[in-house]
Amino acid sequence: MKHLAVLTSGGDAPGMNAAIRAVVRTAIHKGVRVSGIGHGYQGLIEDDLRPLGARSVANVIQRGGTILRTARCEPFLTGEGRARAAATLRRHGVEGLIVIGGDGTYRGASALHEEHGVPVIGVPGTIDNDIYGTDVSIGFNTAINTALDAVDKLRDTAASHNRMFLAEVMGRHSGHIALNVGVAGGAEAILIPERPVDVEAVVDLLTAAERRGKTSSVVVVAEGAVPGGAVALQREIEERAGYEMRTVILGHVQRGGSPSTRDRVLASRLGSMAVEGLVSGRSGEMVGVDKRGNVFVPLADVVRQQKPIDEQLVELATILAI
Ligand code: F6P
C-alpha cells in the first residue's frame, strides 16, 4: 500500500485529532502517503482531499474538534453518492480509507467496502460510546468528565437552595453518558433511552427521597430518554407533584474541549492500529478495545448489533441512590 486517506464523520469528539495524528505518523513510519479528506463523506463526494505530512498534525493532539472538519452526509446514504466517493478515491490512487466516527459512519463505510471493494478500516470516535464491538470510543471519557464537572457544580446550588435539578446530557439513542455521569455524580435518578421512563415513578422516587431526609436532588436525563427531553419532563413532573425544578441542558459543551489523557492514548493506539490493519491487508473491520486488548471487529457486526447498556451499573445506581 502506497497511499491511504483518512476522514472524520458524524459528531465531533475530543481525541479525533489525536487519532488523525496517529494515522498520519504511523503511515509515514511505514512509508505510506496520507491524504486528509475534508468534511467527512461530503469531502469524498466533492473531491476535497489534501496531503497530510508529519508537520500537518503537529500541535493537534491536545485540541478538541477535528482539523479535517466533519459532517453528517445525506448523499452518502445513496448508491449514487457512494459511487462518486469511490470514483474520487480511484482518481487519486487511494488504496485504503480510514474513517473515524460514530454509528452512522460505519453504515457508510460498510456499504463502500461491500459495493466498491474499497479497503476500509473504522476507528470508533463518538462521545456517545454506543458502538458495538469496543468497550470504549474516542471522546467518551472527556465528555463524561465535562458533564460530571457540570453536575458537581449543580449539586452545590441544589444543596444550597434545597432544589431539584434535571441535568440533560447527550445521547439521543443511548444512555452510556447518562449512566456513567449519573453514578459518578451520585444522581437520585438516571433516565436513559434504553429503559422506559415512568414519570409517576420518578415523582414517587423524588418524594420518597425527600421523606428520607434528602433536601436536594439531581436527576440525570439522557436527551433521548423522554420525548421533548428534560424540558418536557420538568413540566410533567412539576404538574404532577407541584415541585419547582430547574433544568440544565449541557448540550454540545460535552462534545468540545481538550481530550483527556485516556482519550489521547486511546486515539493514538486505535489510529495507529487502523494503519497497521490496512497495510497488512485487513478491510471491512473496525478497531476497538475490550478485555482481550486491541481487537478488530467486522463492520457488518458493528452496524447490525447494538451495544448493550451496563445492567449492573443500572442496578448499582439504584442501590446507591437511597
Ligand atoms: O452522536 C453524538 C451526539 O452528540 C449525540 O449525543 C447527540 O444526540 C447528537 O450527536 C447531536 O447531533 P447534532 O450535533 O448533529 O445536533
Side-chain angles (χ1 to χ4, degrees), residues 73-247:
C73 179
E74 293 291 326
F76 197 72
L77 301 175
T78 67
E80 196 197 326
R82 288 192 294 273
R84 283 179 62 186
T88 302
L89 292 173
R90 274 196 302 274
R91 217 167 30 250
H92 288 273
V94 174
E95 297 159 272
L97 177 67
I98 293 175
V99 295
I100 306 168
D103 227 15
T105 307
Y106 296 117
R107 259 169 267 136
S110 184
L112 195 65
H113 167 74
E114 277 163 25
E115 293 166 3
H116 299 279
V118 175
V120 182
I121 294 283
V123 177
T126 167
I127 64 161
D128 290 348
N129 200 28
D130 57 348
I131 301 177
Y132 176 86
T134 186
D135 284 353
V136 65
S137 59
I138 297 163
F140 177 62
N141 183 256
T142 309
I144 56 178
N145 287 339
T146 302
L148 181 63
D149 182 53
V151 166
D152 286 348
K153 285 173 175 149
L154 287 179
R155 256 201 194 286
D156 291 345
T157 301
S160 305
H161 287 262
N162 288 2
R163 257 187 203 160
M164 292 188 187
F165 272 96
L166 290 178
E168 185 186 287
V169 297
M170 274 195 160
R172 211 165 2 209
H173 306 292
S174 67
H176 300 280
I177 295 178
L179 183 56
N180 282 271
V181 171
V183 169
E188 273 57 45
I190 303 168
L191 310 179
I192 55 176
E194 290 86 345
R195 291 282 177 92
V197 173
D198 177 350
V199 180
E200 203 57 55
V202 177
V203 170
D204 289 349
L205 187 144
L206 292 174
T207 311
E210 212 176 13
R211 262 194 244 111
R212 289 197 309 273
K214 290 205 180 190
T215 53
S216 63
S217 299
V218 175
V219 177
V220 175
V221 191
E223 64 176 314
V226 286
V231 171
L233 181 67
Q234 176 187 346
R235 228 176 288 125
E236 223 181 308
I237 294 177
E238 284 181 343
E239 272 167 23
R240 283 175 196 238
Y243 302 135
E244 195 191 320
M245 298 188 93
R246 293 284 191 278
T247 292

Side-chain angles (χ1 to χ4, degrees), residues 227-282:
V231 171
L233 181 67
Q234 176 187 346
R235 228 176 288 125
E236 223 181 308
I237 294 177
E238 284 181 343
E239 272 167 23
R240 283 175 196 238
Y243 302 135
E244 195 191 320
M245 298 188 93
R246 293 284 191 278
T247 292
V248 175
I249 298 175
L250 302 183
H252 288 80
V253 166
Q254 297 159 93
R255 288 239 293 262
S258 182
S260 64
T261 310
R262 261 185 193 226
D263 272 328
R264 294 184 203 191
V265 173
L266 178 70
S268 301
R269 276 171 70 183
L270 295 183
S272 181
M273 200 179 146
V275 175
E276 304 263 358
L278 264 187
V279 168
S280 66
R282 302 190 84 116

